[in-house]
Amino acid sequence: MAAASGFLTSISVNNYYSEQKLKMEISKNTRSIQKFSYCYSSSQTRFFKTGNNRIREVIPEKRLFVLNPRCEVVSNPKIEAKRSGISALELLKTSAADRYTKETSSIVVVGLNFRTAPIEIREKLSIPEAQWHQAIGELCALNHIEEAAVLSTCNRMEIYVVALSQHRGVKEVTEWMSKISAVPISELCQHRFLLYNKDATRHLFEVSAGLDSLVLGEGQILAQVKQVVKTGQGVPGFDRKISGLFKHAITVGKRVRTETSISTGSVSVSSAAVELALMKLPESSHATARMLVVGAGKMGKLVIKHLAAKGCTKIVVVNRTEDRVSAIRKELEDVEIVYRPLSEMFACAAEADVVFTSTASETLLFSKEQVQALLPVSPQIGGQRLFIDISVPRNVGSCVSDVETACVYNVDDLKAVVETNKEDRLHKAMEAQAIIKEEVKQFEAWKDSLETVPTIKKLRAYAERIRSSEFDKCLSKMGNDITKNKKKAVYDLSIGIVNKLLHGPMQHLRCDGNDNRSLSEILENMNALNRIFSLDTEISVLEQKIRAKIEQNQK
């Protein structure tokens, strides 16, 4: 039964047959409702059953009751008034819509990162940038999701949404994540984190500022946040609130780096990978170790630059095309950069002591069998070939570490490296938090102000209708021989009166973060104006959205 799963529903039992049928339905679902008492009603008699006790009460007239999880019988006059000719399914939709319109939409983040989930889980949920727009479309097709954005990097997979209902929005997003990744919902719930509204805003600002990165203060995450905005432009579902949130996050990221110098002396994932490789190699082999970089994208390019900065004079780069490698070669003229196509990857790996992988491939590039077939490295290097895999999904299979002549590291193994200079950056992070606190306040004020926009528009339209009507009446009384100057004077007078009368109410509806009015006070003012001027005669915006979602899913 619906009550067993926490749904609000309505029932009516009008005869003995229906009463017996309801009893049968209850008995079928005894497992699912064992924690609940239950009740049902007929036109003449209302029955309650709690444990082994059965209570009978005569009701003088036919009524409709709501069955809730605690099994309290609650009269629902709204549904009762509309029940004639309406199916039970329509009643359920109506009651759901009424319930949801009592809450405003929320910004929610459902995510996993390097702190909450291992790479084995994160790589299954990873969404390539080329598929972000498709993901936004699928998320916004869910019943309670209005807007969406995807931030998928090597260290995190986070879904940002505007949800019409927090609980159901989270449920739908989690189910969608499970569907695309084949990770069971129970397992996702163990690793996910949930943040709402102000906390979600603060989190994204900290991410953009580099405060939530594996490498504190790293700069690449800001570029990735910018890419979310660039990819989302023009995509249905990447709309006002989510777009505004990410654009503000970019501003915060830039401001933090400018005013705190948190990125000074910090390391990126790519530089940490190079540092890790040098830590694992014998110091005597640093100058002679043969380096191979697979992938010449953003991460691969940074690996090459950091290797060059550490004194490496020759680097072999395997990539699908030579264009990017040629561009890197022009930037690093003092380093010998050798291009090789993907078809020669295994031959290059056989000649390399250290292999860095950073591609967007969704399939493994190196398996256990393939690595076993490679010639062993020189004992001077330590006898083991190093694979530093900073790709998500991973390019090197975890089972490669079982090969005696190979050693595999992934992004989760970089923590030892990033501890360097961390104390100094933590001090700078405290300064950054003050900036983030200020920026969160500004964004929340902007977001809160959107709640009153419909009322402001309706109030202005209401005042304009009255002004226009009275202006026309005045002109008709003044006759046809009125001059243009007099007509303009009367028009300006009517506009001035309306603007001065509306100034006070409008001030009490606006929220710019510079006053002491709380959101609850502003919403009270909004509701008061809606009642006074009868502005709430139309269906609420939120209710329209709920109904549109239901109709869309019925097609």
Side-chain angles (χ1 to χ4, degrees):
M1 289 181 64
S5 57
F7 287 93
L8 190 65
T9 187
S10 304
I11 58 172
S12 179
V13 182
N14 297 314
N15 50 48
Y16 177 79
Y17 171 76
S18 298
E19 178 182 325
Q20 296 303 316
K21 184 178 180 181
L22 180 60
K23 289 179 182 178
M24 291 173 65
E25 286 296 316
I26 292 172
S27 64
K28 288 179 185 177
N29 294 277
T30 50
R31 277 191 177 182
S32 60
I33 62 170
Q34 54 188 328
K35 294 184 180 178
F36 296 84
S37 301
Y38 62 87
C39 59
Y40 49 94
S41 65
S42 72
S43 58
Q44 298 298 324
T45 309
R46 178 170 62 186
F47 298 93
F48 298 86
K49 192 159 186 178
T50 307
N52 295 320
N53 299 320
R54 186 173 185 272
I55 303 172
R56 179 177 180 273
E57 180 183 356
V58 176
I59 302 175
E61 59 181 358
K62 179 182 176 182
R63 300 189 68 184
L64 186 67
F65 297 96
V66 175
L67 183 65
N68 68 16
R70 293 185 181 180
C71 202
E72 300 167 347
V73 179
V74 184
S75 177
N76 193 327
K78 286 187 179 180
I79 299 179
E80 189 172 0
K82 297 179 182 178
R83 70 181 182 271
S84 178
I86 302 178
S87 69
L89 180 60
E90 288 171 327
L91 285 174
L92 177 60
K93 292 174 185 173
T94 305
S95 66
D98 288 343
R99 182 156 41 104
Y100 294 143
T101 52
K102 293 178 183 177
E103 58 179 310
T104 58
S105 58
S106 305
I107 291 179
V108 182
V109 55
V110 183
L112 303 92
N113 60 27
F114 65 96
R115 293 191 182 92
T116 68
I119 191 171
E120 290 81 6
I121 299 294
R122 300 201 310 271
E123 67 183 0
K124 292 177 182 177
L125 286 152
S126 177
I127 301 176
E129 185 182 311
Q131 296 176 16
W132 287 358
H133 69 284
Q134 179 184 340
I136 291 172
E138 291 180 6
L139 286 163
C140 290
L142 301 174
N143 281 348
H144 299 85
I145 304 303
E146 185 179 12
E147 301 179 31
V150 176
L151 179 59
S152 181
T153 73
C154 60
N155 282 324
R156 69 186 69 250
M157 161 51 170
E158 297 175 357
I159 304 292
Y160 291 80
V161 298
V162 173
L164 300 175
S165 166
Q166 283 188 6
H167 172 71
R168 294 191 180 277
V170 167
K171 181 176 181 290
E172 289 172 356
V173 171
T174 304
E175 289 173 348
W176 178 83
M177 292 171 73
S178 176
K179 180 182 176 182
I180 66 165
S181 65
V183 176
I185 292 176
S186 59
E187 192 171 359
L188 277 178
C189 291
Q190 292 175 14
H191 297 289
R192 76 179 181 186
F193 63 87
L194 304 173
L195 295 169
Y196 306 96
N197 295 317
K198 192 173 182 179
D199 291 332
T201 299
R202 183 184 296 107
H203 173 73
L204 180 58
F205 289 1
E206 289 174 349
V207 168
S208 184
L211 302 188
D212 193 62
S213 299
L214 172 64
V215 182
L216 189 64
E218 61 107 350
Q220 192 173 6
I221 186 63
L222 179 58
Q224 291 162 334
V225 172
K226 288 180 181 178
Q227 196 60 33
V228 172
V229 175
K230 183 179 178 181
T231 304
Q233 294 298 325
V235 176
F238 189 77
D239 295 325
R240 191 172 189 179
K241 285 185 180 179
I242 288 293
S243 173
L245 174 64
F246 273 81
K247 287 176 180 176
H248 204 124
I250 293 170
T251 301
V252 173
K254 290 178 179 177
R255 185 183 169 194
V256 165
R257 286 170 174 80
T258 300
E259 297 182 21
T260 67
S261 65
I262 191 171
S263 57
T264 303
S266 69
V267 289
S268 65
V269 169
S270 300
S271 65
V274 173
E275 291 289 348
L276 179 63
L278 296 178
M279 284 171 55
K280 300 301 178 181
L281 286 173
E283 190 171 348
S284 59
S285 65
H286 285 187
T288 58
R290 298 167 296 175
M291 302 292 182
L292 169 64
V293 178
V294 181
K298 294 176 183 177
M299 300 282 277
K301 181 179 178 179
L302 288 173
V303 168
I304 295 168
K305 285 187 172 182
H306 287 297
L307 284 171
K310 291 296 181 180
C312 185
T313 57
K314 181 179 178 180
I315 305 168
V316 177
V317 181
V318 170
N319 197 51
R320 188 171 285 106
T321 61
E322 192 176 358
D323 296 346
R324 290 183 176 179
V325 180
S326 298
I328 297 171
R329 191 184 290 127
K330 290 178 181 178
E331 291 184 40
L332 304 172
E333 295 179 353
D334 296 335
V335 181
E336 183 184 356
I337 298 177
V338 181
Y339 166 74
R340 290 287 184 269
L342 276 174
S343 58
E344 298 181 20
M345 181 179 67
F346 294 111
C348 294
E351 298 174 358
D353 299 316
V354 182
V355 179
F356 295 90
T357 58
S358 59
T359 78
S361 173
E362 296 184 26
T363 57
L364 293 177
L365 299 183
F366 292 96
S367 65
K368 180 178 179 181
E369 293 74 18
Q370 291 166 332
V371 173
Q372 278 179 327
L374 299 178
L375 295 173
V377 298
S378 168
Q380 295 178 348
I381 301 297
Q384 285 187 315
R385 180 176 284 106
L386 301 182
F387 287 86
I388 313 292
D389 185 7
I390 55 175
S391 306
V392 178
R394 288 172 293 178
N395 291 163
V396 182
S398 58
C399 56
V400 171
S401 58
D402 296 335
V403 179
E404 292 184 6
T405 57
C407 195
V408 181
Y409 299 95
N410 58 51
V411 289
D412 286 354
D413 297 312
L414 302 179
K415 295 176 182 177
V417 179
V418 302
E419 292 300 320
T420 58
N421 300 327
K422 189 174 181 179
E423 189 173 331
D424 179 50
R425 291 197 302 278
L426 281 173
H427 177 72
K428 293 174 183 175
M430 294 174 66
E431 299 174 16
Q433 285 292 355
I435 295 173
I436 289 173
K437 183 178 180 180
E438 178 186 331
E439 294 288 349
V440 166
K441 184 179 179 182
Q442 288 184 16
F443 176 80
E444 288 296 307
W446 172 80
K447 180 171 70 72
D448 293 342
S449 71
L450 298 180
E451 300 293 337
T452 62
V453 168
T455 297
I456 290 174
K457 287 182 177 179
K458 285 189 282 187
L459 183 58
R460 279 206 169 276
Y462 174 80
E464 175 57 24
R465 286 195 299 270
I466 295 175
R467 185 208 65 78
S468 179
S469 175
E470 295 303 314
F471 175 67
D472 291 341
K473 288 179 184 177
C474 179
L475 290 184
S476 65
K477 291 177 181 179
M478 295 178 73
N480 296 327
D481 57 346
I482 182 174
T483 65
K484 287 184 178 180
N485 287 339
K486 286 184 178 180
K487 185 176 180 180
K488 184 178 184 303
V490 175
Y491 176 83
D492 291 343
L493 176 66
S494 66
I495 292 290
I497 290 172
V498 167
N499 286 341
K500 288 188 182 297
L501 285 174
L502 290 181
H503 178 73
M506 293 300 181
Q507 286 295 103
H508 284 78
L509 286 179
R510 290 194 172 96
C511 178
D512 57 9
N514 295 323
D515 49 51
N516 294 321
R517 286 193 299 274
S518 64
L519 176 60
S520 59
E521 182 182 346
I522 291 169
L523 293 179
E524 284 178 13
N525 295 336
M526 179 186 74
N527 292 329
L529 286 170
N530 284 334
R531 289 194 304 272
I532 292 168
F533 294 102
S534 301
L535 303 177
D536 252 348
T537 54
E538 300 177 3
I539 299 175
S540 70
V541 175
L542 190 59
E543 186 173 352
Q544 289 180 34
K545 292 172 181 175
I546 293 281
R547 290 183 178 180
K549 288 284 188 181
I550 292 173
E551 290 172 4
Q552 182 181 356
N553 289 334
Q554 283 180 332
K555 294 179 181 178

